[in-house]
Amino acid sequence: MSGALARDAAEAQRAALVADAVAGLSAPRKTLPCKWLYDAEGARLFEAITRLPEYYPTRTETKILTEQAEAIAAAIGPGAAVVEFGPGDGAKAELLLAGLHAPAAYVPVDIAPEWLEAAASRVASARPGLPVLPVVADFTQGFALPKRIGAAPRLGFFPGSTIGNFEPAEATAFLRRAHASLGAGSRMLLGADLVKEVAALTAAYDDAAGVTAAFDLNLLHRLNREAGADFDLTGFAHRAVWNPALERVEMHLASLRPQVVRLAGRNFRFAEGETIHTESSHKYRPEGLEALARAAGWRAARMWSDPRRLFSVWLLEGWAPLAGAAMRC
Ligand code: AVJ
């Protein structure tokens, strides 16, 4: 990107952050979209979270993909073009591709070119000869696949239980769009965290070392830095709360006293104990995940888990005709 284009993009991003902050802090129950947690510092802290003793999802999913690699490869079959939604550093793709039989291509999809580059170069150097075909797109929306993958069977890949960040209706919409982007006859390998005892869930989002607290509070740092806000970081504390009705862990930043925060020329008043809801991480029961998939045109063909049933990896296959194809006869 040229200097001027990069500056325009940064300015547009800053304007969007300010608009989201004004809207979210004006709501009767204050909230901020979780995507703003992931600036460079947020991405570094999330990476540290994945190595915490309390944060079981990453290591459990990695264990499932490693230990069940043969069964997963057999179910998927040879020649798949792997299309990953939000590849991060590409570590999980590298693991999956190592187990698959003669994969045809790797297609990482992300809106952030620098993350795409990291995943693409990692996989390209681990698997010389495999076509690596990055696509710059917002993977929550529809996108076109590279022509070069030809007629290879498509396998969507969405690990990490990132699906859990979506509200249920958004998750359905995402899975339906993913199906449309991947095309008829495609399949999808999806990681989903499971409902379990509350203490294990809340510990995973409120670790003893305080890394998740720092990750959450970084959002206020970011608003001070990029949106000109004046949050006093000692006036807020991180909370992880299990919401039993919606079966999700919620991250909140709780105001420790009555206070007023300035942002974009406005005053935002906080009562003592009032919170900003910063992220939701939905947990699934197998039957709930199957129902969610079915509502989006996918059928659960297989599920792999660990002995303690902490995490699940699903192979979905399309069952419903895609929109547009339905009316042809
Ligand atoms: C990246 C959405 C999968 O919800 O477990 C971890 C994010 N937030 N600890 C999750 C997260 C706090 C993570 N996902």
Side-chain angles (χ1 to χ4, degrees):
M1 232 190 269
S2 82
L5 277 178
R7 265 195 310 282
D8 287 352
E11 184 45 40
Q13 158 115 330
R14 208 188 66 82
L17 172 65
V18 170
D20 279 357
V22 168
L25 297 177
S26 303
R29 302 177 63 178
K30 294 181 172 62
T31 182
L32 290 167
C34 65
K35 66 174 181 188
W36 299 112
L37 289 164
Y38 299 88
D39 62 354
E41 177 65 359
R44 188 190 71 75
L45 287 164
F46 175 65
E47 170 63 32
I49 287 172
T50 65
R51 288 186 304 257
L52 291 169
E54 296 95 334
Y55 193 75
Y56 62 84
T58 309
R59 87 173 56 85
T60 309
E61 184 180 51
T62 299
K63 208 158 184 276
I64 294 168
L65 291 173
T66 307
E67 291 180 358
Q68 318 271 358
E70 276 181 38
I72 293 171
I76 289 167
V82 175
V83 179
E84 185 171 17
F85 297 78
D89 66 2
K92 283 179 190 161
E94 188 184 335
L95 182 59
L96 175 68
L97 289 160
L100 289 184
H101 304 310
Y106 174 55
V107 182
V109 182
D110 206 291
I111 189 114
E114 61 279 11
W115 291 20
L116 262 185
E117 184 44 45
S121 59
R122 178 182 188 132
V123 170
S125 56
R127 305 198 58 84
L130 179 76
V132 174
L133 312 167
V135 171
V136 182
D138 176 355
F139 68 74
T140 67
Q141 306 302 316
F143 58 88
L145 291 173
K147 291 218 166 44
R148 268 188 66 194
I149 68 175
R154 287 101 202 251
L155 178 74
F157 185 39
F158 195 42
S161 202
T162 307
I163 187 99
N165 271 174
F166 294 125
E167 300 293 323
E170 292 171 347
T172 309
F174 163 75
L175 287 174
R176 191 175 295 126
R177 282 195 203 105
H179 193 196
S181 298
L182 293 166
S186 60
R187 287 167 305 163
M188 180 118 172
L189 196 65
L190 174 75
D193 196 11
L194 298 174
V195 173
K196 60 186 61 63
E197 70 276 19
V198 174
L201 284 168
T202 50
Y205 292 85
D206 193 8
D207 60 282
V211 181
T212 309
F215 172 70
D216 203 1
L217 284 160
N218 176 54
L219 188 53
L220 303 185
H221 266 301
R222 183 175 191 183
L223 287 169
N224 286 351
R225 219 167 41 232
E226 293 178 38
D230 69 349
F231 282 97
D232 171 3
L233 270 80
T234 66
F236 289 86
H238 167 70
R239 305 263 185 267
V241 182
W242 173 245
N243 182 326
L246 301 177
E247 299 199 318
R248 68 190 194 189
V249 179
E250 297 175 358
M251 295 206 312
H252 290 262
L253 291 166
S255 177
L256 297 174
R257 47 182 163 77
Q259 57 186 314
V260 178
V261 174
R262 271 196 81 73
L263 186 151
R266 300 169 200 236
N267 290 330
F268 296 97
R269 221 162 281 286
F270 287 81
E272 181 176 350
E274 185 177 2
T275 74
I276 309 172
H277 179 189
T278 52
E279 190 173 41
S280 295
S281 200
H282 293 80
K283 307 304 170 186
Y284 301 92
R285 298 172 189 274
E287 58 277 17
L289 195 289
E290 283 183 288
L292 172 67
R294 209 160 35 236
W298 298 94
R299 160 177 44 230
R302 298 287 304 270
M303 190 269 260
W304 295 276
S305 188
D306 54 289
R308 294 168 62 200
R309 293 282 182 273
L310 295 176
F311 199 91
S312 58
V313 174
W314 296 78
L315 182 62
L316 307 179
E317 50 190 36
W319 68 268
L322 292 167
M327 302 302 288
R328 204 162 294 154
C329 52

